[in-house]
Amino acid sequence: MSPIPVLPLVINGCMSALGSLATLKLIPAFKDHFISARLYGMDLNKTNKKEVPESQGVISGTVFLIIMFCFIPVPFLSCFVEEQCTGFPHNEFVQLIGALLAICCMIFLGFADDVLNLRWRHKLLLPTIASLPLLMVYFTNFGNTVIVVPKPFRLLLGMHLDLGILYYVYMGMLAVFCTNAINILAGINGIESGQALFISGSIIIFNLLELGGDYRDDHIFSLYFMLPFFFTTLALFYHNWYPSSVFVGDTFCYFAGMTFAVVGILGHFSKTMLLFFIPQVVNFVYSLPQLFHVVPCPRHRLPRLNPDTGKLGMSWSKFKRRDLSKLGKLILEVAEMLRVLEVKRGQEGDDEFVECNNMTLINLVLKILGPTHERDLTTIMLLIQVLGSVLAFGIRYHLVRLFYDV
Amino acid sequence: MSPIPVLPLVINGCMSALGSLATLKLIPAFKDHFISARLYGMDLNKTNKKEVPESQGVISGTVFLIIMFCFIPVPFLSCFVEEQCTGFPHNEFVQLIGALLAICCMIFLGFADDVLNLRWRHKLLLPTIASLPLLMVYFTNFGNTVIVVPKPFRLLLGMHLDLGILYYVYMGMLAVFCTNAINILAGINGIESGQALFISGSIIIFNLLELGGDYRDDHIFSLYFMLPFFFTTLALFYHNWYPSSVFVGDTFCYFAGMTFAVVGILGHFSKTMLLFFIPQVVNFVYSLPQLFHVVPCPRHRLPRLNPDTGKLGMSWSKFKRRDLSKLGKLILEVAEMLRVLEVKRGQEGDDEFVECNNMTLINLVLKILGPTHERDLTTIMLLIQVSTTVGAPVR
C-alpha cells in the first residue's frame, strides 16, 4: 500500500487555511452586492429589522472550488517531477474531477434556488441532477454494487447482496438526504454552518484514525475535500454565529450536503458518515408528520422570540380539529403520550382548535429546557451534534462487531 | 485509428434534440420566477416598458449540463457491454469530465455575475477561474506546449517552439477572450444567441469535414459538446429573436465562450476556431479605444431607436475636446480619415464638444447602411457571421 502523501496533505492544509482567510474577508466585501441584488433576509428572532445578506454559502463555496481547482495536480505531482508512479493513476484523477463536478453543479443549482425561489419538488430534483456525474464516475470507475450484509440479516440474505441499480438509487438519495437534512435543522443563528462544521470535523477525525487502516487511499481522498470544506465553513461560521451578520442560504445546505455525500460515496464510508448525521436523522424523523402534511405545517417552524424576556420559546402549529386526519390524530396522541409533543386543545367560536409545537429537534430541546436565549440554544444544539459524533464513533468502533466482522 | 462511433453520436444528437424541446418549454415556464427575482431588463430599443426576463442562458446552460451528465458513460459503453476496448480510455474520460467542470463552473460564475452585478475586473477574473480545471486536465493529460511555427516566422524561430507556461497563459486567455468577445457584440435582439448559434454551427461543419482526417478523435470530442450546445441555443434563439421575449444575460455569453474555448483547446483546433470569430475580433479591435477609455466610453453602446421612423441609428459618445488625450485625438483623426468613424465637432458655451459614434461593429454597419430596422440589422449581422465562416476555409 502506498505511503501517506504528506506533502499533498500539507499543501492542501495550507491552501485551506488561506482559503479560510479569503472567505473571512470576502464575505463583508460583497455585502452590498447581495443587498442590491435583494438577496437578504430579516432575522425573524430579532427586534431590529436590519437587512442581513443571504446565500453567503456561495462565497465559501466559490473559495472552496478555487482551492480545489488549484489543488487538482498536487496529488499527482510525484508522477511528473520524479516519475515515481508506475503509470498515471487515471482512476484517482477521474474521481477527483468527477467529485468536483458534482459539488460545483450543486453550488450552482443551490444558488439558482436561492435566487429564483424554486419549489419544494425542485429541492429533491436539484441534488439528483448534481449527483449524476458522481454516479457516472462511480459506474465507470468501480461499478461495484455488492454490499456485505449485516450479521442480523445474513440468515435471510446471505453474506453478500448485489443491489444492482438500487445501489445507484441509494447513492442518489444520499445526496438528496444530506442536503435537505441540513436544510431543515435550521432557524437559529449559526446552526446550519455550525452543524456542517462539526460534521466535517468528525469526518476529518475519522479519516485521520483510518489512515492506519486498510483503506488509506479512500480516507486521504476524503481529507482532500474535508480540509478545505472545514476551513472555508469556519470563516462562514465566524460571520454566521450569533448575532448573525450573514445568513448562509440554501446554497450552503446544498453545498455541504453534496460534499458529504461525495466523500461518503467515493470514500466508501457512507454508513459511518450517516452515523455523524444522527441529530439530523432524529430531526428528520420527528419532522416527517409535518413534512408530509399529516400534521399541518406552517411556512416557518423556527422557535419564536419572546420580546419581553429576550428568550426563544417553542413555535406552534394551530389548526382546526376537524381538519386533522385519523392518522394525524393518532400521531398527536402517541407523541403526546411519549412526552415528545406538547398539545393544547381549545374552543374558539364553533370550532375546536388544536395546537401542537412544531415537530423539530430544536423545539423538542426547548420543550425539555424551557425558554432559552438564542446563543445558548445554538450552543446546546452544537453540543448535541458533538455528542452524536461521540456516539457515532462508539457505534463504529465497538458496536460494529454486532453487525460486521472486523 | 478507431472507426467513427456512430451510435454515441446518434444518441448525442437525439438527446440534444430532446434538450432543445425542453429548453423551448422551460424558458416561458420560469418567466415568473425570474421577474420575481428582479432578473429582468427593459428593452432600450422598444417604446413599451415591458419587463423582459434576463439571464435565460442559465436555463439553456442547465439543460446542456443535464444532457452532458446523462451522456457521460455513452462514449464508453462499448467497453462495458462488449468489452471491445483494450483497456479503459481513462484520458478521454478525464477530458470529458474536466471539460464539463470548466463549463459548469463558468455557467455558475456567469449567473453569479448576472445576479450580483460584479465589476468589470471580475469579468476577466471569472473565466480565468473557470478555465483552471481545463488547464489542470491539459497539464496532466498532454502537457504538450510545443507549437508548429507558421512558415513566415520559421527563419526566425525555427520549425517548433516550446511556449512552456505561455501556452497555458494562451489557453487561459482564450476563455477570457471568447466570453467577453461575444459579450461586447451585443445590444440588438437576438444577436448574442444568434452569433453563438452560427459559430457553433460552423464548428460542427468543420468537425464533420475533419472526421475523415488524421485527428478524428479530437473532432468527435468536439461534436459531443457542440451538438447539445447548438440545439439548446437554438431554443434560446427562438425566444430571443426579434422581438425578444427573453434576454440571454451575461450567463449565456460566459457559457458560450467557455464551451468554444473548451472544444478549441482539447480538440487542438483553437486557431481555426478563432477564424470563426472574425466578426467578434473585428468588433473587439474596433472597440479597443473605448474599452481602454482612451476614447470616452458610455454605459451602453448599443444603437439608438428613432421613435418616429422605428429604425435604429448609430449611438454616440459625447465629450469635451479638452478631456481627450493626445492618443485619443490621434485615434479619432486616423479613424475618421479611414472612414470608419463619424466625428462631429461643436461648441457649447465655453467648451468645445466632440461627438463620435460608439466604436462597435454594429454602429459601423449602421454608418455604412444608414438607419435600419432592428430585425433587419440583426439579420445582416448574422449574415456577416456566416460569410466570414465561408471565408474561413481559406485555411
Side-chain angles (χ1 to χ4, degrees), chain B residues 3-211:
Chain B
I4 297 178
V6 178
L7 187 60
L9 281 169
V10 168
I11 292 175
N12 188 302
C14 293
M15 291 171 79
S16 302
L18 281 171
S20 198
L21 290 171
T23 309
L24 208 61
K25 293 259 175 266
L26 286 171
I27 287 177
F30 278 93
K31 183 174 173 163
D32 294 328
H33 286 276
F34 281 84
I35 305 281
S36 310
R38 294 171 58 101
L39 278 168
Y40 60 80
M42 306 292 194
D43 195 328
L44 294 172
N45 281 335
K46 303 286 181 299
T47 43
N48 69 59
K49 292 298 160 206
K50 215 168 61 168
E51 295 166 342
V52 181
E54 265 273 19
S55 309
Q56 299 301 291
V58 76
I59 296 184
S60 73
T62 302
V63 175
F64 172 88
L65 286 176
I66 296 174
I67 295 171
M68 293 306 295
F69 286 173
C70 295
F71 182 74
I72 290 173
V74 175
F76 310 98
L77 275 179
S78 58
C79 284
F80 306 110
V81 178
E82 298 151 55
E83 294 181 40
Q84 253 182 25
C85 55
T86 52
F88 188 82
H90 282 286
N91 55 335
E92 287 176 35
F93 192 58
V94 156
Q95 266 202 157
L96 189 63
I97 309 274
L100 286 176
L101 182 53
I103 295 171
C104 178
C105 185
M106 191 76 266
I107 298 174
F108 162 52
L109 294 177
F111 186 58
D113 183 16
D114 264 340
V115 171
L116 300 171
N117 280 313
L118 303 175
R119 291 193 200 90
W120 259 105
R121 60 172 179 261
H122 299 125
K123 290 197 194 306
L124 304 178
L125 189 66
L126 301 183
T128 311
I129 294 171
S131 62
L132 279 178
L134 196 62
L135 303 189
M136 301 303 180
V137 167
Y138 190 90
F139 176 64
T140 37
N141 242 12
F142 316 106
N144 177 36
T145 56
V146 175
I147 60 162
V148 176
V149 178
K151 285 186 189 171
F153 301 97
R154 276 183 204 169
L155 273 173
L156 197 69
L157 299 166
M159 185 73 177
H160 296 279
L161 180 65
D162 187 355
L163 291 178
I165 197 156
L166 281 181
Y167 198 85
Y168 290 91
V169 174
Y170 163 68
M171 289 196 288
M173 291 297 98
L174 193 65
V176 176
F177 174 76
C178 291
T179 51
N180 287 288
I182 295 176
N183 206 353
I184 62 172
L185 185 54
I188 50 180
N189 287 180
I191 188 86
E192 299 97 345
S193 53
Q195 68 187 281
L197 192 70
F198 282 84
I199 293 174
S200 65
S202 310
I203 294 177
I204 289 173
I205 292 171
F206 173 60
N207 292 144
L208 291 171
L209 288 173
E210 289 288 315
L211 281 185

Side-chain angles (χ1 to χ4, degrees), chain A residues 35-103:
Chain A
I35 304 279
S36 310
R38 293 171 60 100
L39 278 168
Y40 60 80
M42 307 292 194
D43 194 329
L44 294 173
N45 280 334
K46 302 288 181 300
T47 43
N48 70 60
K49 291 299 160 206
K50 217 169 59 169
E51 296 167 341
V52 182
E54 267 273 19
S55 309
Q56 300 301 290
V58 77
I59 297 184
S60 73
T62 302
V63 175
F64 171 89
L65 286 176
I66 296 175
I67 296 171
M68 293 306 294
F69 286 174
C70 295
F71 182 74
I72 289 172
V74 175
F76 311 98
L77 274 178
S78 58
C79 284
F80 306 109
V81 178
E82 297 151 57
E83 296 181 40
Q84 254 183 23
C85 55
T86 52
F88 188 82
H90 282 285
N91 55 335
E92 286 176 34
F93 192 58
V94 156
Q95 264 201 160
L96 189 64
I97 309 275
L100 285 176
L101 182 53
I103 295 171

